[in-house]
Short mmCIF file of all heavy atoms in Angstrom, two decimals:
data_model
loop_
_atom_site.label_atom_id
_atom_site.label_comp_id
_atom_site.label_asym_id
_atom_site.label_seq_id
_atom_site.Cartn_x
_atom_site.Cartn_y
_atom_site.Cartn_z
N ASP G 42 44.17 -27.37 167.81
CA ASP G 42 44.20 -28.83 168.01
C ASP G 42 44.26 -29.56 166.67
O ASP G 42 43.49 -30.47 166.39
CB ASP G 42 42.99 -29.31 168.82
CG ASP G 42 42.96 -28.69 170.20
OD1 ASP G 42 44.05 -28.49 170.77
OD2 ASP G 42 41.86 -28.41 170.69
N ILE G 43 45.19 -29.16 165.84
CA ILE G 43 45.24 -29.62 164.46
C ILE G 43 45.50 -31.12 164.34
O ILE G 43 45.00 -31.78 163.44
CB ILE G 43 46.31 -28.81 163.68
CG1 ILE G 43 45.84 -27.38 163.54
CG2 ILE G 43 46.58 -29.42 162.32
CD1 ILE G 43 46.86 -26.46 162.92
N LEU G 44 46.24 -31.70 165.26
CA LEU G 44 46.67 -33.08 165.07
C LEU G 44 45.55 -34.10 165.20
O LEU G 44 45.53 -35.10 164.49
CB LEU G 44 47.79 -33.41 166.06
CG LEU G 44 49.09 -32.64 165.83
CD1 LEU G 44 50.11 -33.00 166.89
CD2 LEU G 44 49.65 -32.93 164.45
N TYR G 45 44.59 -33.91 166.09
CA TYR G 45 43.60 -34.97 166.29
C TYR G 45 42.18 -34.59 165.87
O TYR G 45 41.28 -35.42 165.97
CB TYR G 45 43.60 -35.45 167.74
CG TYR G 45 43.08 -34.47 168.74
CD1 TYR G 45 41.75 -34.45 169.10
CD2 TYR G 45 43.93 -33.56 169.35
CE1 TYR G 45 41.27 -33.56 170.02
CE2 TYR G 45 43.47 -32.68 170.28
CZ TYR G 45 42.13 -32.67 170.60
OH TYR G 45 41.67 -31.77 171.53
N LEU G 46 41.93 -33.39 165.37
CA LEU G 46 40.58 -33.02 164.95
C LEU G 46 40.41 -32.95 163.43
O LEU G 46 39.33 -32.70 162.94
CB LEU G 46 40.19 -31.67 165.55
CG LEU G 46 39.96 -31.66 167.04
CD1 LEU G 46 39.61 -30.24 167.51
CD2 LEU G 46 38.85 -32.62 167.42
N ARG G 47 41.47 -33.14 162.66
CA ARG G 47 41.34 -33.06 161.21
C ARG G 47 40.95 -34.41 160.63
O ARG G 47 41.18 -35.46 161.22
CB ARG G 47 42.63 -32.56 160.58
CG ARG G 47 43.79 -33.46 160.82
CD ARG G 47 45.04 -32.87 160.25
NE ARG G 47 46.17 -33.71 160.63
CZ ARG G 47 47.40 -33.48 160.29
NH1 ARG G 47 47.69 -32.43 159.57
NH2 ARG G 47 48.35 -34.29 160.66
N GLY G 48 40.34 -34.37 159.43
CA GLY G 48 39.98 -35.63 158.80
C GLY G 48 39.06 -35.45 157.63
O GLY G 48 38.55 -34.36 157.34
N PHE G 49 38.81 -36.54 156.91
CA PHE G 49 37.95 -36.57 155.74
C PHE G 49 36.52 -36.87 156.12
O PHE G 49 36.25 -37.56 157.10
CB PHE G 49 38.41 -37.66 154.75
CG PHE G 49 39.61 -37.27 153.95
CD1 PHE G 49 40.86 -37.77 154.27
CD2 PHE G 49 39.48 -36.42 152.87
CE1 PHE G 49 41.97 -37.43 153.52
CE2 PHE G 49 40.58 -36.06 152.12
CZ PHE G 49 41.83 -36.57 152.45
N GLN G 50 35.60 -36.36 155.31
CA GLN G 50 34.19 -36.69 155.44
C GLN G 50 33.64 -36.93 154.05
O GLN G 50 33.91 -36.17 153.11
CB GLN G 50 33.42 -35.56 156.10
CG GLN G 50 31.94 -35.82 156.19
CD GLN G 50 31.17 -34.64 156.75
OE1 GLN G 50 31.68 -33.53 156.81
NE2 GLN G 50 29.96 -34.88 157.15
N PHE G 51 32.87 -37.99 153.89
CA PHE G 51 32.22 -38.30 152.62
C PHE G 51 30.72 -38.29 152.84
O PHE G 51 30.23 -38.85 153.82
CB PHE G 51 32.67 -39.67 152.11
CG PHE G 51 31.98 -40.08 150.84
CD1 PHE G 51 32.38 -39.51 149.64
CD2 PHE G 51 30.95 -40.99 150.85
CE1 PHE G 51 31.75 -39.87 148.46
CE2 PHE G 51 30.33 -41.35 149.69
CZ PHE G 51 30.73 -40.79 148.48
N ALA G 52 29.98 -37.64 151.94
CA ALA G 52 28.52 -37.57 152.07
C ALA G 52 27.87 -37.82 150.71
O ALA G 52 28.40 -37.43 149.67
CB ALA G 52 28.11 -36.20 152.59
N ALA G 53 26.75 -38.48 150.76
CA ALA G 53 25.92 -38.70 149.57
C ALA G 53 24.51 -38.26 149.89
O ALA G 53 24.04 -38.41 151.02
CB ALA G 53 25.94 -40.18 149.17
N ALA G 54 23.83 -37.68 148.89
CA ALA G 54 22.49 -37.16 149.14
C ALA G 54 21.58 -37.46 147.96
O ALA G 54 22.01 -37.51 146.80
CB ALA G 54 22.55 -35.65 149.36
N VAL G 55 20.31 -37.66 148.29
CA VAL G 55 19.25 -37.79 147.29
C VAL G 55 18.21 -36.72 147.62
O VAL G 55 17.66 -36.71 148.71
CB VAL G 55 18.60 -39.19 147.34
CG1 VAL G 55 17.46 -39.28 146.34
CG2 VAL G 55 19.63 -40.27 147.06
N ASN G 56 17.97 -35.81 146.69
CA ASN G 56 17.04 -34.71 146.88
C ASN G 56 15.86 -34.86 145.92
O ASN G 56 16.04 -35.14 144.74
CB ASN G 56 17.72 -33.36 146.61
CG ASN G 56 18.89 -33.14 147.56
OD1 ASN G 56 18.72 -33.13 148.75
ND2 ASN G 56 20.07 -32.99 146.98
#
Side-chain angles (χ1 to χ4, degrees):
D42 299 325
I43 292 174
L44 294 178
Y45 68 92
L46 290 178
R47 62 184 174 179
F49 283 103
Q50 177 185 15
F51 177 77
V55 177
N56 299 301

